[in-house]
């Protein structure tokens, strides 16, 4: 194997792993030559642990799966209405169990040591971690903890303390600050927080729709429609539209996400960075593994991995609730993918829920 970057060698190993077929108890690979490269630079998955906590060891197992299928961005949504999931020494109220609903793992959070260990674990596997501290919306925990509005002067000072401590202890290239689904009542809030983050040399990411700060920023597109959700001219974008795992029926999810991607049609550039498949398990899941049992996480991940690597065609809502007609090229494309999906399920997912069964023969 040869590659321009170390990550390319990692991807080559995963290709060999998928090609290896057991014969007489030994892996055998048919003779072949492959020249391959991803269509998109960013190929990610997002877990929302603000609503449903997952411990680091489970997330490490998940990252192993991501790396196996050449996903290279772990979007870590660390805060949401139920809880702030990061150690906070300057304001320990954020970690108090009394400020988290009883059904949402009160008192569960990640220490800085755990976060840095996780980031290092991901780095070895070619995966970058993008932490998100959503603000000023998705933050009911803040008012419970402090009794003040995050957008007020006292709230901004508390948040600045927390951000500074986080950046003192956790070193990542990017920091996602959310900014979505909230009315900005204080015009100074976004400029003040973005200035604080930029002084640390970090690239800021925000949701779109959301409140975009002035200056250099990456937008993450999330709304399926009805709101201004498209990429802006000259602004780098990550696409997460129509790709929420928790909204999907297991039969429908892989087809909807795959979007009948056709390899050999790269579309990424300095503005079309790629995509992040988002998982927002809004309801209380109970046991963490229920997150994977009640949603088609793994089938959707494999479909996203293929789409982000290969490129994609325009959205095709006509296939979001039905298969393509038998005998068409679209049907043949999905049947080919489904066969490989099921083969991967049977070979590599004995320890994970994998809610998908063959349907192209129905």
């Amino acid at each position: 194997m040869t590659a321009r970057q170390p990550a390319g060698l990692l991807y080559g190993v995963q290709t060999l792993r998928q090609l290896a077929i057991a014969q007489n108890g030994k892996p055998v690979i048919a003779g072949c030559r492959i020249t391959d490269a991803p269509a998109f630079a960013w190929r990610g998955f997002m877990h929302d642990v603000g609503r449903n906590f997952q411990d680091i060891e489970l997330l490490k197992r998940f990252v192993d799966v991501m790396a196996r299928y050449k996903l290279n961005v772990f979007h870590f949504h660390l805060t949401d209405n139920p809880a702030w999931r990061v150690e906070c020494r300057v304001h320990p109220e954020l970690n108090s169990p009394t400020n988290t609903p009883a059904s949402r793992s009160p008192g569960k959070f990640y220490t800085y040591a755990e976060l840095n260990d996780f980031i290092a674990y991901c780095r070895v596997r070619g995966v970058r971690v993008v932490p998100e501290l959503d603000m000023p919306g998705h933050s009911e925990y803040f008012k419970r903890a402090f009794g003040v509005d995050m957008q007020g002067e006292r709230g901004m000072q508390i948040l600045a303390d927390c951000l500074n401590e986080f950046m003192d202890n956790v070193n990542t290239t990017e920091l996602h600050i959310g900014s979505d689904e909230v009315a900005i009542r204080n015009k100074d809030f976004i400029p003040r927080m973005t200035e604080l983050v930029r002084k640390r040399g970090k690239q800021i990411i925000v949701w779109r729709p959301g409140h975009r700060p002035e200056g250099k920023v990456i937008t993450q597109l999330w709304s399926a429609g009805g709101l201004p959700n498209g990429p802006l001219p000259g602004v780098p974008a990550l696409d997460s539209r129509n790709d929420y795992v928790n909204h999907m029926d297991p039969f429908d999810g892989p087809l909807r996400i795959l979007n009948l991607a056709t390899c050999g049609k790269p579309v990424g550039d300095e503005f079309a960075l790629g995509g992040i498949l988002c998982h927002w398990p809004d309801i209380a899941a109970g046991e963490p593994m229920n997150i994977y049992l009640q949603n088609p996480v793994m089938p959707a991940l494999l479909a996203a991995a293929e789409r982000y690597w290969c490129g994609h065609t325009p959205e095709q809502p006509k296939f979001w609730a039905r298969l393509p007609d038998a005998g068409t090229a679209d049907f043949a494309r999905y049947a080919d993918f489904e066969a490989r999906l099921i083969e991967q399920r049977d070979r590599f997912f004995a320890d994970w829920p994998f809610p998908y069964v063959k349907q192209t023969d129905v």
Side-chain angles (χ1 to χ4, degrees), residues 106-127:
K108 294 284 190 179
F109 61 90
Y110 306 105
T111 67
Y112 292 127
E114 287 177 316
L115 284 175
N116 287 318
D117 173 67
F118 179 70
I119 291 168
Y121 186 92
C122 292
R123 186 182 301 116
V124 170
R125 288 153 181 80
V127 176

Side-chain angles (χ1 to χ4, degrees), residues 138-152:
H138 292 265
S139 57
E140 291 176 6
Y141 65 85
F142 196 87
K143 185 161 284 189
R144 288 195 299 268
F146 303 111
V148 300
D149 187 335
M150 185 183 283
Q151 295 190 55

Side-chain angles (χ1 to χ4, degrees), residues 263-306:
C263 283
K265 294 186 177 180
V267 296
D269 56 31
E270 62 182 313
F271 300 115
L273 299 180
I276 294 178
L277 177 62
C278 294
H279 187 211
W280 306 97
D282 294 350
I283 63 169
E287 292 297 320
M289 195 55 76
N290 287 343
I291 293 167
Y292 299 90
L293 179 65
Q294 297 170 0
N295 302 274
V297 175
M298 293 307 178
L301 182 149
L302 266 64
E306 180 145 330

